[in-house]
Amino acid sequence: MFSKEISKICAYCEHSKMLASGRAVICNKKKELLAPNGVCSSYRYDPLKRSPAAKNG
Ligand code: SF4
């Protein structure tokens, strides 16, 4: 039912911030604009980023 394997991508990383367009993220670690589906060795999963409607987190 639920996938146990969560994609390691910048969009779900705690260091990223998604732009309003949803087409790129700003990485606070690298201070760069990156594709949401990228990843690096500093990736840290942020569960709140998985749900676009996470308002009460
Ligand atoms: S580049 Fe690395 S640290 Fe930055 S958002 Fe992507 S995975 Fe996270």
Side-chain angles (χ1 to χ4, degrees), residues 10 13 15-16 25 27 29-30 34 38-40 42-44:
C10 292
C13 175
H15 301 299
S16 75
V25 298
C27 172
K29 194 98 175 168
K30 295 185 167 185
L34 300 164
V39 73
C40 83
S42 299
Y43 173 86
R44 273 189 74 136

Side-chain angles (χ1 to χ4, degrees), residues 2-56:
F2 295 102
S3 171
K4 288 182 181 172
E5 192 64 39
I6 297 165
S7 299
K8 287 188 176 182
I9 56 173
C10 292
Y12 298 155
C13 175
E14 96 177 2
H15 301 299
S16 75
K17 188 170 171 64
M18 184 67 76
L19 297 190
S21 69
R23 293 175 140 191
V25 298
I26 296 172
C27 172
N28 289 327
K29 194 98 175 168
K30 295 185 167 185
K31 311 290 186 201
E32 279 183 52
L33 206 58
L34 300 164
N37 62 352
V39 73
C40 83
S41 57
S42 299
Y43 173 86
R44 273 189 74 136
Y45 175 55
D46 181 345
L48 297 180
K49 296 221 167 99
R50 286 206 71 205
S51 168
K55 291 179 182 169
N56 300 321

